[in-house]
Short mmCIF file of all heavy atoms in Angstrom, two decimals:
data_model
loop_
_atom_site.label_atom_id
_atom_site.label_comp_id
_atom_site.label_asym_id
_atom_site.label_seq_id
_atom_site.Cartn_x
_atom_site.Cartn_y
_atom_site.Cartn_z
N GLN A 25 -32.94 11.00 1.33
CA GLN A 25 -32.67 12.18 0.52
C GLN A 25 -31.16 12.43 0.44
O GLN A 25 -30.48 12.55 1.46
CB GLN A 25 -33.38 13.39 1.11
CG GLN A 25 -33.26 14.64 0.23
CD GLN A 25 -34.11 15.79 0.79
OE1 GLN A 25 -34.72 15.64 1.80
NE2 GLN A 25 -34.11 16.91 0.08
N VAL A 188 -8.50 -0.49 -7.61
CA VAL A 188 -8.05 -1.20 -6.42
C VAL A 188 -8.01 -2.69 -6.69
O VAL A 188 -8.92 -3.25 -7.27
CB VAL A 188 -8.93 -0.87 -5.20
CG1 VAL A 188 -10.39 -1.26 -5.44
CG2 VAL A 188 -8.41 -1.55 -3.94
N VAL A 201 0.74 -28.96 1.10
CA VAL A 201 1.08 -30.25 0.53
C VAL A 201 2.08 -30.06 -0.60
O VAL A 201 3.06 -30.84 -0.69
CB VAL A 201 -0.20 -30.98 0.04
CG1 VAL A 201 0.18 -32.27 -0.65
CG2 VAL A 201 -1.13 -31.25 1.23
N THR A 336 10.14 -13.87 3.60
CA THR A 336 9.25 -13.49 2.50
C THR A 336 9.98 -12.80 1.35
O THR A 336 9.38 -12.51 0.31
CB THR A 336 8.14 -12.55 3.03
OG1 THR A 336 8.73 -11.56 3.86
CG2 THR A 336 7.14 -13.34 3.85
N ASP A 346 14.60 5.53 -9.20
CA ASP A 346 15.20 6.82 -9.49
C ASP A 346 15.37 6.92 -10.98
O ASP A 346 16.32 6.37 -11.58
CB ASP A 346 16.58 6.93 -8.76
CG ASP A 346 17.16 8.33 -8.84
OD1 ASP A 346 16.98 9.01 -9.88
OD2 ASP A 346 17.75 8.77 -7.84
#
Side-chain angles (χ1 to χ4, degrees):
Q25 186 173 2
V188 59
V201 174
T336 46
D346 189 323

